[in-house]
Amino acid sequence: MIYFDHNATTPVDPRVLAAMLPLFAEQCANASSGHVAGRAVARLVEQARGQVAALVGANRRNVVFTSGATEAVNLAIRGVLAGAGSPRRRILVSATEHKAVLAAAAQAVSIHGGTVGLVRVLPDGTPDLDHLAASLSSDVVLVAVMAANSETGAIADVGRAAQLAHGAGALFLCDVTQAAGKIPVALDAGEIDLAVLSAHKIYGPKGVGALLASRRLQARLTPLIVGGGQERGLRSGTINSAGIVGFGQAATIAAAELAADADRLRRLTALLHHLLTEKLDGVALNGPTVTRLPNTLNLRFVDADADAVMTAMPQVAVSAGSACQGSSTEPSHVLTAMGLGATAASQSLRFSLGRPSTAEEVQAAVGHVVSAVEHVRALGAD
């Protein structure tokens, strides 16, 4: 199997697994317990808090551990709206946000009242910040614009988006799940009020993520899960100490290897793009040519249904959209928001390379993709 679906999830780095294993056996104590063993685990958790914060340029006190970015998004959006005073009851979200952001915003206003507005994106998938500026008003409580899109790799100008939001008196939420570990992220620049990320996108374990917010903002949030008051009362329940330690180790490795990984993956992705366009006609890039994640390539293969192409090349793991789409047969909401029709969107595949990817895999994958596309096109011509 040639695995080119790292934006959906990454394999756990062996160095991460090695850091986690003791937490399942000899260091199995509950981090909330007051005895020596519990305090030792608590220190490891706090160390991981600092490691995650360092990856995204934040203060360790701002990190609240969750079960993943989806829970963190729900905590942020619903928590802000629950604590918002009238007349600010409107949320603005980029049209290409992750489904978790779109769904959390819709549910938050259904529970607490208010409305959700969509911010258009440009044809290359980057947010239309002029439309954001025109959409802002005194009733907007929160603006959500992701740092980088999982399907196209489009990188947003979050600095300007945050300035626009703050200029209207709104908070700014940024999903940095795909950006962290791939491009530099600096949350302490004062631009981003709330951010979310997940361990399993940076070669850490599934089932652990984080919300980053100042202590002032944390005090404003209403928890989704109540109980023993862990994670400063925002996420009750026995913490996933092994997962958190793995998250911390993954963050440290990602920070140390970011530049080298990005350079290598940029070259491999460019090679993949070059070879596919050289060997196949009717290949179009979805997304920016430059302001794109170094590992991500979204291509339309004209007259070749993406699902059929994937079926015809079981040796290569790619995606016909975000993993959050599940088994949905609907076209990608990201691609249609960029202006692609349903047919064009359904002919598009995302290739997302990762730390284990090699030039040899790229060469082999190209052969499989070319054969599969030609096979599907031939079936359609019959």
Side-chain angles (χ1 to χ4, degrees), residues 289-301:
T289 55
V290 178
T291 55
R292 194 175 77 238
L293 290 175
N295 76 316
T296 305
L297 186 66
N298 193 302
L299 297 175
R300 178 192 175 193
F301 299 93

Side-chain angles (χ1 to χ4, degrees), residues 184-349:
V185 176
L187 301 183
D188 256 2
E191 298 170 340
I192 297 170
D193 302 297
L194 299 140
V196 301
L197 70 158
S198 199
H200 76 102
K201 306 293 189 180
I202 58 169
Y203 308 93
K206 297 174 181 66
V208 60
L211 167 67
L212 290 101
S214 68
R215 295 302 292 270
R216 176 183 59 83
L217 270 178
Q218 289 177 29
R220 287 181 53 183
L221 300 180
T222 300
L224 301 177
I225 301 172
V226 296
Q230 290 87 345
E231 289 302 289
R232 304 189 187 99
L234 288 174
R235 211 280 179 176
S236 291
T238 300
I239 63 171
N240 177 6
S241 55
I244 288 170
V245 167
F247 193 3
Q249 182 68 6
T252 293
I253 294 168
E257 301 183 1
L258 186 151
D261 279 351
D263 185 59
R264 189 179 66 84
L265 290 172
R266 190 175 287 109
R267 292 198 304 269
L268 288 179
T269 303
L271 175 64
L272 176 64
H273 190 192
H274 169 72
L275 291 176
L276 287 173
T277 53
E278 180 182 65
K279 297 176 183 296
L280 286 169
D281 293 326
V283 180
L285 174 68
N286 299 322
T289 55
V290 178
T291 55
R292 194 175 77 238
L293 290 175
N295 76 316
T296 305
L297 186 66
N298 193 302
L299 297 175
R300 178 192 175 193
F301 299 93
V302 178
D303 295 330
D305 178 78
D307 288 332
V309 171
M310 287 194 295
T311 300
M313 55 173 198
Q315 311 91 336
V316 184
V318 294
S319 173
S322 168
C324 68
Q325 295 282 113
S327 59
S328 172
T329 57
E330 293 296 313
S332 161
H333 75 284
V334 171
L335 298 182
T336 55
M338 291 164 55
L340 274 71
T343 297
S346 69
Q347 295 171 350
S348 299
L349 287 173

Side-chain angles (χ1 to χ4, degrees), residues 15-376:
R15 294 166 289 181
V16 172
L17 182 59
M20 293 175 64
L21 286 176
L23 279 298
F24 292 108
E26 63 265 25
Q27 290 178 292
C28 67
N30 190 323
S32 297
S33 296
H35 48 62
V36 172
R39 292 198 300 272
V41 173
R43 284 193 293 272
L44 292 175
V45 168
E46 292 311 306
Q47 175 180 297
R49 201 182 303 276
Q51 292 171 310
V52 171
L55 173 62
V56 293
N59 188 304
R60 59 176 297 281
R61 289 163 57 88
N62 295 353
V63 176
V64 177
F65 288 118
T66 65
S67 66
T70 293
E71 182 188 335
V73 159
N74 278 268
L75 174 58
I77 295 178
R78 286 174 56 182
V80 164
L81 199 60
S86 180
R88 292 189 178 270
R89 314 299 301 169
R90 184 166 173 77
I91 301 172
L92 294 179
V93 297
S94 168
T96 54
E97 291 297 299
H98 191 278
K99 285 285 190 179
V101 174
L102 296 168
Q107 185 178 63
V109 299
S110 72
I111 294 172
H112 302 291
T115 57
V116 177
L118 290 181
V119 177
R120 293 193 298 258
V121 296
L122 300 172
D124 68 356
T126 56
D128 184 342
L129 298 184
D130 290 335
H131 185 238
L132 170 59
S135 302
L136 285 162
S137 56
S138 60
D139 64 342
V140 176
V141 65
L142 182 69
V143 174
V145 174
M146 66 190 344
N149 187 270
S150 66
E151 293 190 38
T152 65
I155 298 172
D157 184 351
V158 295
R160 186 181 168 215
Q163 289 173 356
L164 290 171
H166 292 159
L171 295 172
F172 186 72
L173 166 66
C174 190
D175 177 356
V176 300
T177 303
Q178 292 295 339
K182 298 186 182 84
I183 58 175
V185 176
L187 301 183
D188 256 2
E191 298 170 340
I192 297 170
D193 302 297
L194 299 140
V196 301
L197 70 158
S198 199
H200 76 102
K201 306 293 189 180
I202 58 169
Y203 308 93
K206 297 174 181 66
V208 60
L211 167 67
L212 290 101
S214 68
R215 295 302 292 270
R216 176 183 59 83
L217 270 178
Q218 289 177 29
R220 287 181 53 183
L221 300 180
T222 300
L224 301 177
I225 301 172
V226 296
Q230 290 87 345
E231 289 302 289
R232 304 189 187 99
L234 288 174
R235 211 280 179 176
S236 291
T238 300
I239 63 171
N240 177 6
S241 55
I244 288 170
V245 167
F247 193 3
Q249 182 68 6
T252 293
I253 294 168
E257 301 183 1
L258 186 151
D261 279 351
D263 185 59
R264 189 179 66 84
L265 290 172
R266 190 175 287 109
R267 292 198 304 269
L268 288 179
T269 303
L271 175 64
L272 176 64
H273 190 192
H274 169 72
L275 291 176
L276 287 173
T277 53
E278 180 182 65
K279 297 176 183 296
L280 286 169
D281 293 326
V283 180
L285 174 68
N286 299 322
T289 55
V290 178
T291 55
R292 194 175 77 238
L293 290 175
N295 76 316
T296 305
L297 186 66
N298 193 302
L299 297 175
R300 178 192 175 193
F301 299 93
V302 178
D303 295 330
D305 178 78
D307 288 332
V309 171
M310 287 194 295
T311 300
M313 55 173 198
Q315 311 91 336
V316 184
V318 294
S319 173
S322 168
C324 68
Q325 295 282 113
S327 59
S328 172
T329 57
E330 293 296 313
S332 161
H333 75 284
V334 171
L335 298 182
T336 55
M338 291 164 55
L340 274 71
T343 297
S346 69
Q347 295 171 350
S348 299
L349 287 173
R350 178 190 70 186
F351 302 81
S352 50
L353 281 60
R355 194 175 289 159
S357 302
T358 65
E360 290 75 18
E361 284 186 318
V362 168
Q363 296 277 359
V366 167
H368 292 304
V369 174
V370 170
S371 295
V373 169
E374 290 178 340
H375 171 71
V376 172

